[in-house]
Amino acid sequence: MPLLVMKFGGTSVADLERIENAAKKVRKEVERGYYVIVIVSAMSGKTNELVGWVETTSKLYDAREYDAVVASGENITAGLMALRLQEMGVPARSWQGWQVPINTTSAHGSARFVSIPRDNLDAKFAEGFKVAVVAGFQGVSPEGRITTLGRGGSDTTAVAFAAAFGAERCDIYTDVDGVYTTDPRICAKARKMDKIAFEEMLELASLGAKVLQTRSVELAMRYKVRLRVLSSFEDTDETSGTLVCDEEEIMESKVVSGVAYSRDEAKITLVTVEDRPGVASAIFGPLADAGVNVDMIVQNISEKGHDDAHPGAVTDMTFSCPVNQVERAKRAVEDARAAGSIVYEDLVVDTDVAKVSVVGIGMRSHAGVAAKMFSALAAENVNIKVIGTSEIKISVLIDRKYMELAVQALHDAFELEKA
Ligand code: ASP
Ligand code: MG
């Protein structure tokens, strides 16, 4: 049976009128012969309000009760969506996570899927229901308690249902009309892409493009779920939005397909650490234990590398992490120094940096991307502080005040405004 998953984010179900508008899009697909699983978010702002209530009531809250409260926003929109569809003559039924059941781990607040058995929904479809409206973002633990998947988790619910039910496509309806080459608020020339490969979307999502929860892209890539991002505020058809798909589906791909940025980075340098085996481990072990998300790491090569002739060789070690983890990182490093496990002369912290990255699967087979990126930045007099690369991405740390300029310069240099 032809089946679609349609997910509506918070702004798309923000009030009764918008729920009706979304329901009309669902009815259209039913009229075209599809069974539909609708995944809904909470009305926009609702989840924040619920989180606030929990935090005000209990500082060190019980995570099980956090989930019980915070999951409730989606229950409201699921019921209202089913009612609206019924009013339109579409046979629809709502489902909370535990009713499906959406089985998850018991990691409250950031649970992961374990299984989504099809039997209950399939039985309802067999009875004549055309639409199952499922509350996103939630599930049930092995202990039988309500869980949530982490903020933005409804995207991941949608992809998981598309995989479990073999949906033809997973359409993510949101308040933007697709995925852009970069943030249109920063770069006026940003262009909506028709298609983007899973790997690229994964890099862009984890680098800060906020359209999709990163885990939803990971899941889509693993199960080859064709994922489409499109606007719920426009008239849309099969060609609207941006399709996130396997790279084989993308006929001609550019070397670089997008520019991403992340504003809230910090750079920390341990000046003059010993250059000998075990030093990196002595630094990054305590950082990991302290829960610091270390991103880029640079270790200079000391002029006289460590060997038997140069037992006293020294170097500098630099790493980056989110700016709100700087205090934690400093404490971990200083504690390790006090305990004698690492030795350094000075700790230099720079909290005014941003990360700008170019992403593209074409980089795998093309040389010269880094050179082009660096020359574009040089032409704008932007100094590069740290460079990091992966197979399909090059990232640089720069002064935050040049972030917008760098994004625009790179967008121009790689001619991303052209399709
Ligand atoms: N309502 C939840 C949130 O705001 C989940 C979602 O909308 O994806 O994080
Ligand atoms: Mg979202």
Side-chain angles (χ1 to χ4, degrees), residues 102-317:
I102 301 169
N103 297 309
T104 71
T105 61
S106 40
H108 286 277
S110 57
R112 297 201 162 238
F113 294 110
V114 174
S115 67
I116 302 178
R118 295 180 49 153
D119 320 13
N120 288 338
L121 261 58
D122 278 344
K124 270 280 177 281
F125 285 135
E127 274 176 37
F129 282 85
K130 294 289 182 199
V131 179
V133 186
V134 179
F137 178 54
Q138 55 172 266
V140 60
S141 74
E143 294 77 28
R145 303 230 52 103
I146 305 301
T147 54
T148 63
L149 305 171
R151 299 305 303 271
S154 297
D155 293 335
T156 308
T157 306
V159 173
F161 272 81
F165 285 78
E168 208 170 285
R169 216 178 43 237
C170 180
D171 286 343
I172 307 279
Y173 286 89
T174 179
D175 50 5
V176 292
D177 61 354
V179 181
Y180 278 71
T181 48
T182 194
D183 187 342
R185 288 168 303 184
I186 287 194
C187 177
K189 292 184 198 161
R191 175 179 54 83
K192 183 177 79 67
M193 292 178 272
D194 291 333
K195 289 182 178 175
I196 181 170
F198 289 126
E199 287 88 340
E200 292 171 326
M201 190 63 232
L202 197 55
E203 291 285 4
L204 292 175
S206 56
L207 289 170
K210 293 194 179 65
V211 232
L212 290 170
Q213 200 198 31
T214 305
R215 270 172 60 202
S216 71
V217 185
E218 275 167 15
L219 209 60
M221 183 158 96
R222 173 135 39 100
Y223 294 100
K224 298 222 184 290
V225 171
R226 300 170 81 235
L227 195 63
R228 194 163 64 132
V229 176
L230 69 173
S231 167
S232 65
F233 303 130
E234 290 171 8
D235 272 334
T236 44
D237 58 30
E238 308 87 273
T239 61
S240 307
T242 300
L243 186 69
V244 189
C245 58
D246 208 72
E247 61 185 274
E248 265 109 68
E249 260 193 78
I250 300 173
M251 301 304 263
E252 32 157 348
S253 74
K254 309 188 75 168
V255 179
V256 166
S257 43
V259 181
Y261 65 87
S262 134
R263 198 184 297 271
D264 303 312
E265 302 285 321
K267 170 174 80 61
I268 300 181
T269 302
L270 282 72
V271 181
T272 325
V273 297
E274 297 165 274
D275 183 15
R276 61 162 176 81
V279 167
S281 156
I283 295 170
F284 292 101
L287 287 167
D289 294 341
V292 176
N293 292 314
V294 172
D295 179 23
M296 303 160 98
I297 299 176
V298 186
Q299 183 199 261
N300 296 343
I301 296 172
S302 46
E303 213 169 314
K304 297 189 172 81
H306 167 90
D307 56 31
D308 291 341
H310 305 101
V314 290
T315 181
D316 291 345
M317 186 76 86

Side-chain angles (χ1 to χ4, degrees), residues 6 27 54 59 71 77 133 153 167 169 185 199 214 235 246 257 271 289 351 373 376 382 385 393 405 409 412 416:
M6 302 172 75
R27 180 179 60 187
V54 170
K59 248 204 181 74
T77 41
V133 186
R169 216 178 43 237
R185 288 168 303 184
E199 287 88 340
T214 305
D235 272 334
D246 208 72
S257 43
V271 181
D289 294 341
T351 53
M373 178 179 194
V382 175
K385 300 183 166 209
K393 170 185 80 178
L405 177 64
D412 283 345
L416 298 185

Side-chain angles (χ1 to χ4, degrees), residues 36-50:
V36 181
I37 298 178
V38 177
I39 309 293
V40 286
S41 285
M43 292 176 168
S44 62
K46 193 72 200 168
T47 309
N48 286 342
E49 181 182 52
L50 296 170

